[in-house]
Amino acid sequence: MRKYLFFGLMMLVSSIQAQKFEDLAKTPPMGWNSWNKFACDINEKTIRETADAIVSSGMRDAGYMYLVIDDCWQVKRDSNGTIIADPERFPSGMKNLGDYIHSKGLKFGIYSDAGTATCQGRPGSRGYEFQDARTYASWGVDYLKYDWCNHGKQNSEAAYSTMRDALYKAGRPVVLSICEWGTTKPWEWAKNVGHLWRSTEDIINCFDCKNYWGGLGVVQIIDLFTEIGTYTGPGHWNDADMLEVGNGVLTPDEERLHVSMWAMFSSPLMAGNDLRTMSKETVSILTNKEVLAIDQDKLGISAIRWMQFGDYEIWFKPLEDNAFAFCFINRGNQPVTVDQDLKTSIKKYVIDGSYGIRDLWKHEDIGNTKDNVRAVLGSHAVLMVKLIKK
Ligand code: GAL
């Protein structure tokens, strides 16, 4: 009898712990991650200055809340197995840095790996999951990106569930960002394990390219999202990877298309540029509230590719309040003429002539669905509109 009581009590404790985690990512998490711009060249000065810049640029107020330190902050374990941050690059320690991040009204994210070593050869969490989760809780960590290098023969669902359980046990609510690059189809198993899962190989800084180790440009990632949209939703998101906006390669048109499509997919939005030195144009692309609202729409439905005419595509996303978003994108090098009647039924949704049409990049009302939408799209440009019931 006592055994059953004990077991019942443990189940209750674990379900109360789980509840604390469930509501953490009702909409796709937004923030900044150090990897795309800085890779291993990170230190506490850069992170503090980034925290300052995310506030002064208006990004925090636009929704970018998580400041995530990616690979290379960790150097070894001490004799008790506790993970040690690089004392030269982070001399004030992680608790101190976390306190600074929190003092700015932001949330603190960190990175580890389910294998024995991270992708850059730093200590991984395998065999230390519960100890690391306690350490992160003592530092005030709110978000863990958990990678998949050097994972050995582990089963991905089991490995990520172990870290989830460790975070539950440590008791501090932490967003768990699964990063196994889509290799074991996390959309099929990760809904109750993590809040988001990387769905593809790493983004690289280009519009249309692939590299030798599998890195993908913006349009290559877009194509992979045609298959997995139905798996995403409030609390569990397909993650299209961190943004390359402001990193000096994509043109402003390409950057707008990149952000628009990530918003259409309800992807987490993690800026990946140097926030301290970014241009006004970069800030305006990253903080376009009308576009961010499409990403953060409460229904959390991922867009479908509605029409495709060579390099010209039309994507469609249902929104709350019976509204819809459409993206017209030109992936090619020649201009494309848009002349599209939007009165239609797509899946179970019926669109008639009673919608106003708003251009979300120009911040202008451009007519209604009685008439066709008309525009000319330059190379790699996007027209993103919202249909609002009148
Ligand atoms: C990769 C991951 C990247 C970055 C990198 C760090 O596996 O996909 O986003 O975290 O490791 O080494």
Side-chain angles (χ1 to χ4, degrees):
M1 182 63 185
R2 266 166 116 188
K3 202 166 99 191
Y4 291 118
L5 263 177
F6 177 72
F7 186 65
L9 197 63
M10 290 302 287
M11 294 292 286
L12 185 69
V13 170
S14 114
S15 90
I16 291 172
Q17 280 163 344
Q19 266 169 25
K20 288 202 276 185
F21 287 72
E22 263 163 27
D23 289 344
L24 293 177
K26 285 284 182 205
T27 58
M30 292 173 63
W32 175 88
N33 176 300
S34 55
W35 185 254
N36 281 358
K37 173 68 189 175
F38 296 100
C40 281
D41 191 15
I42 43 168
N43 56 53
E44 65 177 43
K45 182 167 177 283
T46 306
I47 301 300
R48 280 170 192 258
E49 289 173 358
T50 301
D52 297 344
I54 210 168
V55 178
S56 61
S57 62
M59 284 183 61
R60 179 197 63 189
D61 293 345
Y64 294 86
M65 294 301 294
Y66 291 96
L67 207 150
V68 184
I69 307 173
D70 208 281
D71 208 347
C72 299
W73 60 267
Q74 62 287 69
V75 280
K76 59 177 182 182
R77 293 185 181 278
D78 71 10
S79 55
N80 296 320
T82 303
I83 191 74
I84 304 289
D86 186 333
E88 277 167 27
R89 288 176 174 264
F90 295 91
S92 319
M94 293 317 233
K95 164 85 173 83
N96 216 293
L97 187 53
D99 286 348
Y100 187 75
I101 291 168
H102 289 141
S103 78
K104 296 275 162 178
L106 298 164
K107 292 185 181 290
F108 177 26
I110 213 164
Y111 163 101
S112 190
D113 187 288
T116 47
T118 71
C119 299
Q120 303 305 315
R122 307 303 174 97
S125 291
R126 186 171 185 182
Y128 294 91
E129 293 87 351
F130 286 78
Q131 189 171 1
D132 283 354
R134 281 197 302 277
T135 304
Y136 303 153
S138 76
W139 291 345
V141 166
D142 307 295
Y143 183 108
L144 174 66
K145 174 174 169 183
Y146 203 47
D147 214 337
W148 192 228
C149 280
N150 306 299
H151 59 266
K153 294 195 169 131
Q154 293 180 95
N155 167 281
S156 53
E157 182 174 357
Y160 282 95
S161 299
T162 302
M163 185 45 98
R164 175 207 55 197
D165 293 346
L167 294 170
Y168 283 2
K169 193 85 198 296
R172 183 178 171 86
V174 171
V175 171
L176 178 55
S177 157
I178 293 172
C179 179
E180 57 69 92
W181 324 299
T183 49
T184 65
K185 301 191 175 170
W187 44 88
E188 288 179 356
W189 55 261
K191 190 172 168 189
N192 297 315
V193 181
H195 301 89
L196 58 153
W197 49 80
R198 274 275 304 284
S199 309
T200 70
E201 288 286 355
D202 289 16
I203 192 165
I204 49 177
N205 195 7
C206 64
F207 183 71
D208 185 359
C209 72
K210 279 185 186 178
N211 72 7
Y212 68 97
W213 51 258
L216 302 172
V218 170
V219 295
Q220 282 68 29
I221 291 179
I222 290 174
D223 284 338
L224 291 169
F225 271 69
T226 52
E227 306 293 330
I228 56 175
T230 51
Y231 295 93
T232 216
H236 50 93
W237 305 102
N238 286 324
D239 175 3
D241 207 356
M242 300 156 313
L243 299 170
E244 290 286 8
V245 175
N247 278 337
V249 171
L250 301 179
T251 66
D253 272 338
E254 291 168 345
E255 295 187 333
R256 279 187 280 273
L257 191 152
H258 176 23
V259 175
S260 302
M261 290 307 295
W262 266 230
M264 291 295 275
F265 297 141
S266 301
S267 172
L269 294 177
M270 293 287 166
N273 57 313
D274 190 340
L275 305 187
R276 302 167 305 174
T277 54
M278 63 186 162
S279 68
K280 284 201 172 118
E281 182 161 41
T282 297
V283 177
S284 76
I285 291 173
L286 288 171
T287 58
N288 180 331
K289 290 192 177 161
E290 295 192 72
V291 172
L292 298 180
I294 303 299
D295 181 70
Q296 297 289 304
D297 184 80
K298 290 204 173 53
L299 297 184
I301 298 175
S302 187
I304 56 163
R305 185 154 55 191
W306 179 44
M307 290 190 192
Q308 189 176 19
F309 313 93
D311 285 330
Y312 166 40
E313 298 178 358
I314 309 176
W315 290 76
F316 154 83
K317 171 174 176 161
L319 303 169
E320 61 180 329
D321 299 328
N322 200 19
F324 301 96
F326 282 87
C327 262
F328 303 81
I329 65 172
N330 177 6
R331 301 165 57 139
N333 296 327
Q334 300 305 316
V336 154
T337 301
V338 176
D339 188 354
Q340 183 63 44
D341 184 358
L342 293 179
K343 292 189 291 303
T344 182
S345 62
I346 305 175
K347 299 205 161 182
K348 60 183 179 182
Y349 305 100
V350 178
I351 299 171
D352 58 21
S354 64
Y355 287 83
I357 304 178
R358 186 162 174 82
D359 181 328
L360 302 185
W361 285 107
K362 287 197 178 140
H363 305 296
E364 270 171 21
D365 296 329
I366 57 166
N368 58 60
T369 45
K370 289 194 180 77
D371 297 321
N372 284 9
V373 180
R374 295 192 180 87
V376 176
L377 294 181
S379 166
H380 301 175
V382 61
L383 168 67
M384 186 179 202
V385 300
K386 181 173 177 184
L387 270 49
I388 304 160
K389 193 93 184 162
K390 288 193 286 189

